[in-house]
Amino acid sequence: MKPIYEQISPNIDSSFKLQAGDPCCEPLWHIHPEYELVYVRNGEAEIQVGASIYKYTDGLLLLVGSNVPHSNMGNNLHTNNHEVVVQIKPETIDYTLSQLPEFASIIKMMKRSVHGMVFTQLLDKDIPDLIEGLEKEDTLNRLLQLFSILGRLASEKNYKLLNTSTTVGETKSNDYLRMSAVYNFINEQYHRNISITELAKLTQLTETSFCRFFKKVSGQSFTKFLNEYRVNRACNYLANHKSTISEAMEISGFNDPAHFTRTFKSVSGYTPRAYQKKMQKWE
């Protein structure tokens, strides 16, 4: 079965995505460019990473490389279960960190993660607590703590490679290619009106088929995805470009102030004015 492409956007005010809470039990076979660090507190499940099937019996600490097809990792066999997933954009590792010699060991580990790396012996140490603690940190300390965790993993010699005989990572299904094309298009054109018609043409689907395809692959409607993407852009402009609210609204592709305010609050939890004030306090 070909993996479907999962589109991932970082958390607001962050360069990576952090999800924490109840595990996802659906064995969805998917792929994405982001590196993925997964911690499952307890329980057991059978997972697949690339060509390897692995069964964990007392929790999981796993690093999966970029573009490695895998199934969801969690289980629901324990009431005290908890899952943390960190997804890091490849450019953060491959370009940003690679410029700094202090991160050389992390870079090597991330390249190795194309095979899937399981750190079973670290489950009894303090790293799981550090991973669970990421959710409580502010954005800067969260990033610093993530680098610290990756540094600890990079120095660990006791790990299991799940796919030792092959290099995974170049599997690109039709869904992957279509979603990549859609995402690249949005990244370049989000500031203007985008029609379903042109996206359907881009993916060589009918409009109805495109809507159905996008919902199946991403788990949300295209309109919801686009609104969330634009709000993330607006947050970036308000935080880093000293933009006015009106400028951020227009630059990010909104044209109605009331709709912009409602959507911004729905996605970020703040009104644009409250978010702007929060950013100003941090300066």
Side-chain angles (χ1 to χ4, degrees):
M1 180 175 66
K2 290 183 178 180
I4 67 169
Y5 178 81
E6 180 184 8
Q7 182 61 56
I8 295 170
S9 297
N11 301 110
I12 290 174
D13 303 332
S14 181
S15 58
F16 62 93
K17 184 167 186 176
L18 172 69
Q19 301 176 85
D22 295 331
C24 178
C25 307
E26 183 183 3
L28 183 66
W29 185 236
H30 63 288
I31 189 172
H32 49 72
E34 288 76 11
Y35 294 93
E36 182 166 301
L37 177 65
V38 180
Y39 167 64
V40 181
R41 181 187 291 159
N42 53 33
E44 62 183 47
E46 189 176 81
I47 62 173
Q48 183 172 358
V49 178
S52 176
I53 296 177
Y54 176 77
K55 183 174 183 178
Y56 65 88
T57 57
D58 191 19
L60 177 72
L61 181 54
L62 170 73
L63 183 63
V64 181
S66 174
N67 287 329
V68 177
H70 55 280
S71 62
N72 287 337
M73 310 298 177
N75 65 85
N76 63 348
L77 301 181
H78 289 254
T79 56
N80 186 34
N81 210 347
H82 189 75
E83 181 178 353
V84 181
V85 178
V86 179
Q87 294 162 319
I88 311 165
K89 286 186 171 297
E91 52 265 31
T92 300
I93 302 297
D94 302 339
Y95 298 103
T96 305
L97 296 192
S98 65
Q99 304 302 311
L100 305 173
E102 293 85 353
F103 290 97
S105 63
I106 294 179
I107 298 297
K108 289 180 181 177
M109 177 185 68
M110 299 309 262
K111 290 181 178 179
R112 197 179 304 126
S113 69
V114 72
H115 301 287
M117 302 175 68
V118 176
F119 299 88
T120 305
Q121 296 189 30
L122 294 181
L123 289 171
D124 295 328
K125 298 185 179 180
D126 63 337
I127 285 187
D129 291 334
L130 294 176
I131 294 175
E132 289 197 42
L134 287 171
E135 189 179 17
K136 301 175 183 177
E137 299 289 345
D138 61 42
T139 52
L140 175 58
N141 287 324
R142 183 181 296 172
L143 179 64
L144 295 176
Q145 186 157 305
L146 175 60
F147 286 160
S148 178
I149 291 168
L150 292 176
R152 292 273 300 277
L153 294 179
S155 66
E156 178 62 37
K157 300 188 183 302
N158 294 313
Y159 58 83
K160 175 182 175 63
L161 293 181
L162 299 184
N163 295 282
T164 57
S165 61
T166 182
T167 298
V168 216
E170 293 303 321
T171 303
K172 295 186 185 288
S173 65
N174 288 334
D175 285 351
Y176 179 95
L177 295 174
R178 280 175 171 155
M179 284 299 290
S180 293
V182 170
Y183 185 79
N184 290 336
F185 184 86
I186 293 171
N187 192 48
E188 294 175 357
Q189 306 294 332
Y190 66 90
H191 56 278
R192 68 168 179 85
N193 181 51
I194 298 177
S195 70
I196 296 295
T197 301
E198 56 188 328
L199 289 172
K201 183 177 180 180
L202 176 70
T203 54
Q204 298 182 324
L205 296 169
T206 66
E207 293 181 27
T208 301
S209 295
F210 171 78
C211 293
R212 189 182 303 116
F213 153 77
F214 194 92
K215 181 70 179 290
K216 179 196 75 170
V217 173
S218 70
Q220 59 187 161
S221 69
F222 173 73
T223 299
K224 187 173 186 294
F225 171 84
L226 182 59
N227 282 337
E228 290 181 358
Y229 185 93
R230 284 172 167 165
V231 167
N232 274 279
R233 285 291 185 172
C235 286
N236 179 269
Y237 281 110
L238 288 173
N240 300 317
H241 297 277
K242 312 300 180 186
S243 302
T244 66
I245 291 174
S246 295
E247 288 171 340
M249 178 189 75
E250 293 176 3
I251 289 171
S252 58
F254 292 94
N255 51 33
D256 177 73
H259 174 60
F260 174 60
T261 299
R262 285 194 306 270
T263 305
F264 193 101
K265 186 173 183 180
S266 174
V267 173
S268 71
Y270 297 89
T271 65
R273 180 68 62 193
Y275 182 82
Q276 187 181 53
K277 288 181 178 179
K278 183 185 80 164
M279 291 296 102
Q280 290 170 350
K281 287 181 181 179
W282 289 356
E283 293 178 355

